[in-house]
């Protein structure tokens, strides 16, 4: 009978560990999405700045 309690407690601990891992993974995914969003904003800013450049067609002296 004791082995049933041991197995159930191990199963419960495994479920708790799985839930903690899932929450941690969800937070990491949210962080990566935020970084990608920031990278897109920075690329838009860079595209705007590059578009403002005036390049001359002459040669360097």
């Amino acid at each position: 009978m004791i082995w049933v309690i041991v197995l159930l407690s191990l199963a419960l601990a495994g479920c708790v560990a799985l839930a903690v891992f899932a929450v941690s993974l969800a937070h990491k995914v949210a962080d990566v999405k935020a970084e990608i969003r920031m990278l897109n904003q920075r690329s838009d800013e860079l595209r705007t700045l590059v578009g403002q450049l005036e390049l001359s067609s002459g040669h360097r002296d």
Side-chain angles (χ1 to χ4, degrees):
M1 183 67 181
I2 191 80
W3 61 271
V4 173
I5 295 171
V6 169
L7 287 178
L8 287 176
S9 63
L10 286 174
L12 180 62
C15 288
V16 168
L18 188 62
V20 168
F21 177 72
V23 169
S24 173
L25 188 62
H27 284 287
K28 288 179 182 180
V29 167
D31 289 343
V32 169
K33 284 182 180 180
E35 289 296 328
I36 289 173
R37 215 172 12 255
M38 183 59 66
L39 184 62
N40 284 334
Q41 288 175 357
R42 296 290 185 228
S43 67
D44 290 342
E45 291 172 4
L46 182 62
R47 189 176 303 119
T48 301
L49 290 173
V50 169
Q52 293 174 357
L53 289 177
E54 295 178 9
L55 301 175
S56 63
S57 59
H59 295 280
R60 286 185 138 180
D61 292 334

